[in-house]
Amino acid sequence: MGGAGGRRGGVRRHLEAVPVKYPSLRTIHLLCGLFSLPALVMYGVSAVQMAHSKWFDLKPAVEQTTAQIARDQTDGRAVAREVMAARGLRGEINSIQATPAGFSVRISVPGTVHELRYDRATGGVAVKTSRAPVMGMLNRLHHAAGFWHDYGPLRLWAALVAVVSAAALGLGITGLWMWWMRRQDRAAGIVLLAVNVLFAVIVLWRLRAAGP
């Protein structure tokens, strides 16, 4: 018992000895919160949409057009880029599939999907564009991940999300640190942390138990 108490006391003394003043922590905490707030609000709103999809109208607006390019092309990616340049389409080429007549290509940005069907014999391209409303775009942004995208804005979004994630971690760490520096709030904070951890564990356990 004495050894455990001594170790706890040593950790407490170590934390209290770190040369960081409360106003400095509060400034860092504020900056992290202000920087991450817009992205966190977006993720929160899109999470509500995913949890309660019936509350929102996600039906996309569909537009169909045609384009004419050279016949007998064998490179689906070249076909897609030629149509994108001719029609001013933006996005990332997600898939290219061979069809009996030519190619089927899918190009997308968050909230907008272009489906191309190329006829090798005639050089004609049928273009179907589906544009989701704002909530549909937020839904796609919520699921966007990784730095491997060909489309530059999606790579920029991935970098922003990485920085926001670091800021959110900073928000939590500085918040805990400031709480620990306020001796009068430690007991209440421990109770709240324990309740939150217990709640999270129970919810995760119940979700896992209900799964396959």
Side-chain angles (χ1 to χ4, degrees), residues 3 47 86 89 104 109 127 131 139 161 163 206:
L89 306 182
S104 175
V109 294
V127 182
R131 289 187 174 86
N139 180 295
V161 169
V163 176
R206 292 295 298 168

Side-chain angles (χ1 to χ4, degrees), residues 5-172:
R7 284 194 295 272
R8 287 196 297 269
V11 172
R12 182 164 56 247
R13 286 191 298 272
H14 177 72
L15 288 174
E16 292 173 350
V18 175
V20 178
K21 295 183 178 180
Y22 190 90
S24 299
L25 277 177
R26 185 174 56 194
T27 300
I28 296 171
H29 186 79
L30 176 62
L31 292 175
C32 287
L34 289 175
F35 180 80
S36 59
L37 179 61
L40 294 179
V41 168
M42 185 281 294
Y43 278 109
V45 171
S46 56
V48 171
Q49 179 272 312
M50 287 185 282
H52 305 282
S53 57
K54 293 182 179 180
W55 294 358
F56 305 92
D57 180 14
L58 299 180
K59 185 177 180 180
V62 178
E63 177 185 357
Q64 300 195 47
T65 59
T66 59
Q68 188 67 36
I69 60 175
R71 295 181 296 175
D72 298 323
Q73 296 200 48
T74 58
D75 187 344
R77 187 168 292 273
V79 167
R81 295 202 179 283
E82 186 173 347
V83 175
M84 291 171 72
R87 292 296 182 186
L89 306 182
R90 297 181 299 109
E92 184 172 44
I93 300 173
N94 299 126
S95 65
I96 301 172
Q97 295 181 336
T99 66
F103 294 104
S104 175
V105 183
R106 179 185 174 91
I107 304 166
S108 69
V109 294
T112 300
V113 177
H114 306 287
E115 297 174 281
L116 315 182
R117 296 189 68 86
Y118 170 67
D119 189 324
R120 189 181 293 109
T122 64
V125 182
V127 182
K128 179 182 177 182
T129 300
S130 303
R131 289 187 174 86
V134 172
M135 292 304 298
M137 181 191 69
L138 293 181
N139 180 295
R140 292 298 86 202
L141 280 174
H142 191 118
H143 289 88
F147 290 94
W148 56 82
H149 301 282
D150 294 330
Y151 187 50
L154 280 179
R155 291 199 300 270
L156 182 62
W157 172 254
L160 176 63
V161 169
V163 176
V164 167
S165 300
L169 287 174
L171 185 68

Side-chain angles (χ1 to χ4, degrees), residues 178-200:
M178 286 192 296
W179 156 69
W180 187 256
M181 293 176 73
R182 294 174 59 87
R183 293 174 179 271
Q184 69 273 22
D185 296 329
R186 286 181 184 175
I190 290 173
V191 172
L192 290 174
L193 281 175
V195 169
N196 275 277
V197 170
L198 181 62
F199 176 78

